[in-house]
Amino acid sequence: MGKQATDQSVDERTLELYSLQRETYANAVVVGIDEVGRGAVAGPLTVAAVALPLAPLIVGLDDSKKLSAKKREKLHAEIFEQAVAIGIGHVAPRRIDSLGMARALRIAMLEALVKTGLEPDAVLIDGNPVNIHPNERCIIKGDSSVACIAAASIVAKVTRDALMEKFDVLHPQYGLAQNKGYASAKHIEAIKEHGISKIHRKTFCTNFMQESLF
């Protein structure tokens, strides 16, 4: 087991992240949900759902985009050690092309929530309403202000990054281990030169692809 943080050993930032759950949902089953990969041109949309206990507190939680890869990995391990439940959902590129991002996001979030195996009293989602649960509550910038959503952002990011590194072995010409499927200048140039692969989102690449390798 990792070091268990108490109120006396954590900073105000950590206490603030847990304040909503402590003050509003102290005796409830609360699940935080966040996604990663919505704006990528390759790879899946990935969603994580995480339920955290009120103790021990996980020090250092934050929006995954604000953390270094090393810090995310450390927190990822702590989250899996301490979480009440974790669920992860993916929607593959071709399905994103077929359904559109709004429907894909809803499907991935619902999958992640179901995989927690919980019957939540509250489902806290970063961003806008998606209508996956009657007790859904959307919190703008929730990934940097609510502990369970921040944890979900970290789990989703680390999980998807690992997938993109595996895809990089299969499709090394696109630099996926570095760009994680996002449209960097080098990635766009690679698409123009090589066309798109099976893990690219065709509808996201139409502006700069020359040919399809589907």
Side-chain angles (χ1 to χ4, degrees):
M1 297 289 291
K3 182 180 179 181
Q4 297 189 349
T6 65
D7 285 5
Q8 290 73 36
S9 65
V10 300
D11 54 41
E12 290 185 6
R13 169 66 175 153
T14 301
L15 293 174
E16 180 184 354
L17 285 169
Y18 280 86
S19 63
L20 177 64
Q21 186 172 341
R22 289 178 138 190
E23 296 168 8
T24 307
Y25 302 108
N27 299 310
V29 177
V30 180
V31 175
I33 295 180
D34 200 15
E35 56 77 26
V36 67
R38 188 186 311 200
V41 300
L45 171 71
T46 299
V47 170
V50 178
L52 293 178
L54 287 175
L57 306 184
I58 301 176
V59 178
L61 287 175
D62 207 337
D63 174 4
S64 63
K65 297 184 293 296
K66 298 179 179 179
L67 302 170
S68 66
K70 183 177 180 180
K71 183 65 172 178
R72 283 195 299 266
E73 291 285 351
K74 178 178 180 295
L75 288 168
H76 182 264
E78 290 185 39
I79 292 164
F80 269 82
E81 184 177 287
Q82 304 295 352
V84 174
I86 295 173
I88 299 171
H90 302 284
V91 176
R94 286 192 179 185
R95 203 170 182 203
I96 294 171
D97 284 331
S98 175
L99 298 174
M101 183 51 69
R103 288 182 64 192
L105 183 62
R106 187 174 187 276
I107 288 168
M109 285 190 170
L110 186 57
E111 179 185 350
L113 179 59
V114 169
K115 284 184 175 179
T116 65
L118 300 175
E119 293 292 339
D121 299 303
V123 177
L124 308 182
I125 297 176
D126 181 47
N128 299 313
V130 290
N131 301 313
I132 61 168
H133 194 274
N135 297 324
E136 175 183 313
R137 177 176 174 181
C138 297
I139 301 172
I140 302 300
K141 297 184 179 180
D143 51 6
S144 61
S145 61
V146 179
C148 59
I149 302 178
S153 78
I154 292 167
V155 171
K157 173 67 172 168
V158 172
T159 300
R160 187 179 183 279
D161 281 1
L163 285 175
M164 298 311 297
E165 289 168 8
K166 290 180 180 179
F167 287 136
D168 183 66
V169 176
L170 299 174
H171 307 283
Q173 65 270 40
Y174 300 105
L176 299 174
Q178 290 73 42
N179 60 52
K180 302 300 187 290
Y182 289 88
S184 67
K186 288 185 178 180
H187 191 180
I188 292 172
E189 287 304 311
I191 291 171
K192 289 179 178 179
E193 180 178 354
H194 302 287
I196 59 175
S197 72
K198 292 182 178 180
I199 57 99
H200 280 88
R201 304 172 189 176
K202 189 174 183 179
T203 55
F204 284 49
C205 299
T206 54
N207 290 336
F208 43 79
M209 70 179 185
Q210 292 182 336
E211 62 181 87
S212 172
L213 298 183
F214 274 94

